[in-house]
Amino acid sequence: MGTFYTLGIINKFGAQATKGPTKWSRENLALTEAEWKEALDKRIDTSIFDLELQEDGTIKGFLKNDVFKENIKGFYEILREILGEHRNGNFDYYEKGMSEDGELHDINVEDDDDGYSYEWADDIRILNKDGVEIRIECEFIMLFLEGKVLVEEFYTDPILINYLFRNSKIDNPLAGAVISAVVG
């Protein structure tokens, strides 16, 4: 089958904070919900997620179903404007596949059997100036597939795309949950 480039919307994530002199001797940090929001805000718009602080100080987030359903069509319109009329045909195919019966389905975070295509992204790792590393694992809903790529994994592009969408002036809340990845 090969590997393909994709762009998607994060539908759930988990994050962990660590600190230490090397990646092999880092200690877990238990952050409060307010600290997590501050740490994640440049990468993920936490206001569009239901957040669950875990006993060990990590955090999980689940995209609010109404945010997705109310904004995905508008987000596709923004992407259509960015990509122009010569966009890959897979773009329109995936958009139509979002709602086979004309209605958007609820996101099912339990078993992923809701008609959407889900994938896991490589971790996003953010190292701040104080030596605290935030590692974000996320699952996302694929918006479309782009042609074959000759890499199995890559790290720079997902972080750049995520940051650019999150910090853009795009007037759609889903811009706060964009990720790119190689799948396949």
Side-chain angles (χ1 to χ4, degrees), residues 34-98:
E35 290 170 322
W36 273 119
K37 286 179 180 181
E38 182 179 340
L40 294 170
D41 195 49
K42 286 186 179 172
R43 298 295 174 171
I44 298 174
D45 180 357
T46 57
S47 72
I48 65 173
F49 288 86
D50 291 319
L51 301 176
E52 295 178 2
L53 190 60
Q54 306 299 297
E55 287 183 21
D56 62 359
T58 60
I59 196 164
K60 291 184 179 181
F62 303 91
L63 183 62
K64 294 176 181 175
N65 200 47
D66 59 329
V67 171
F68 179 77
K69 288 175 73 172
E70 292 170 10
N71 294 286
I72 190 61
K73 289 184 182 196
F75 194 75
Y76 267 111
E77 286 296 322
I78 291 165
L79 291 176
R80 186 177 289 103
E81 182 180 329
I82 292 169
L83 296 172
E85 64 185 53
H86 299 293
R87 65 188 167 274
N88 185 315
N90 280 335
F91 178 84
D92 297 321
Y93 172 81
Y94 270 82
E95 180 186 17
K96 288 178 185 152
M98 283 276 177

Side-chain angles (χ1 to χ4, degrees), residues 7-172:
L7 192 71
I9 301 295
I10 298 169
N11 70 300
K12 62 183 171 184
F13 71 87
Q16 175 184 25
T18 59
K19 186 171 183 172
T22 67
K23 71 179 188 177
W24 297 280
S25 62
R26 299 185 72 78
E27 295 180 24
N28 288 333
L29 295 177
L31 301 182
T32 66
E33 188 169 333
E35 290 170 322
W36 273 119
K37 286 179 180 181
E38 182 179 340
L40 294 170
D41 195 49
K42 286 186 179 172
R43 298 295 174 171
I44 298 174
D45 180 357
T46 57
S47 72
I48 65 173
F49 288 86
D50 291 319
L51 301 176
E52 295 178 2
L53 190 60
Q54 306 299 297
E55 287 183 21
D56 62 359
T58 60
I59 196 164
K60 291 184 179 181
F62 303 91
L63 183 62
K64 294 176 181 175
N65 200 47
D66 59 329
V67 171
F68 179 77
K69 288 175 73 172
E70 292 170 10
N71 294 286
I72 190 61
K73 289 184 182 196
F75 194 75
Y76 267 111
E77 286 296 322
I78 291 165
L79 291 176
R80 186 177 289 103
E81 182 180 329
I82 292 169
L83 296 172
E85 64 185 53
H86 299 293
R87 65 188 167 274
N88 185 315
N90 280 335
F91 178 84
D92 297 321
Y93 172 81
Y94 270 82
E95 180 186 17
K96 288 178 185 152
M98 283 276 177
S99 59
E100 293 175 14
D101 55 6
E103 292 293 320
L104 287 168
H105 306 285
D106 287 343
I107 301 169
N108 187 340
V109 295
E110 297 300 322
D111 64 15
D112 300 340
D113 188 24
D114 54 16
Y116 301 118
S117 297
Y118 294 93
E119 288 289 338
W120 282 93
D122 289 330
D123 293 354
I124 296 174
R125 293 178 181 265
I126 307 160
L127 186 61
N128 74 14
K129 63 182 177 220
D130 299 327
V132 174
E133 181 183 65
I134 305 295
R135 183 174 56 87
I136 307 167
E137 300 175 323
C138 58
E139 182 185 73
F140 63 94
I141 300 169
M142 285 195 307
L143 298 181
F144 64 93
L145 283 177
E146 187 73 277
K148 284 188 179 184
V149 292
L150 298 175
V151 296
E152 297 296 323
E153 56 190 39
F154 65 156
Y155 303 103
T156 305
D157 184 78
I159 293 169
L160 286 172
I161 294 296
N162 167 261
Y163 185 88
L164 291 172
F165 269 95
R166 173 67 183 113
N167 293 284
S168 71
K169 294 184 191 279
I170 293 175
D171 188 23
N172 186 304

